[in-house]
Amino acid sequence: MIKKHFVITIGRQFGSGGRLVGKRLSEELGIHFYDENILSLTSEKTAIGEQYFRLADEKAGSNLLYRIVDKLKPQLGKPRVGEHIVTPENLFRFQAEVIEELAEAESCIIAGRCANYVLREAGFRERVALFVYADLETRIQRAMDYTKTDREESLRRIRKIDRERREYHRYYTGEEWMKLDNYDLMINASRISYDELFSLMRDYIRMKGYID
């Protein structure tokens, strides 16, 4: 089914269905799906505790104002060793290296982790950057179904996780999370089913010449 080596990156609003359908697409294509397990892979490679990478995620939001005020432009480059090894920026560089290595080694799907930015900056050409979003009511209903929580708790999770993803992306890339120019295809999943979203993703990858 796969015609040539490629990587799909998926950005998604919480409750949009982007992760669920992306994982289903990976199973259909017979390729790996990576999301938060990139943290454990990076931890294994670097021998740095996974908790440091998770703490770096949290620090992105708390340090965002500092970065905006000082107009700091994030830099990728090679990770540093020594006393700065567990700074959030350095941990992100380690993570970026793992994302690049995965992209070079195999066709795969990567959800989140600023993978679209990392691969673009690395000059990786055979990639497709998708972003899945939906209106709030659709996301509340899907979150209720998926997380088995009530409406109030689902709405709280949507607001919290979307904020964290937005702040994380801006902190480590200097770019807006939902900026149209950063993606090949923005998909409004509000009025389509999971099956239709799956077909849309698959057909777009086929149109790009990566699968039969």
Side-chain angles (χ1 to χ4, degrees), residues 8-35:
I8 303 169
T9 65
I10 301 177
R12 70 277 183 236
Q13 289 183 318
F14 184 71
S16 66
R19 183 189 182 280
L20 287 175
V21 176
K23 196 167 190 311
R24 176 180 165 187
L25 182 62
S26 76
E27 293 166 356
E28 169 83 7
L29 299 178
I31 60 179
H32 285 117
F33 181 88
Y34 297 103
D35 53 1

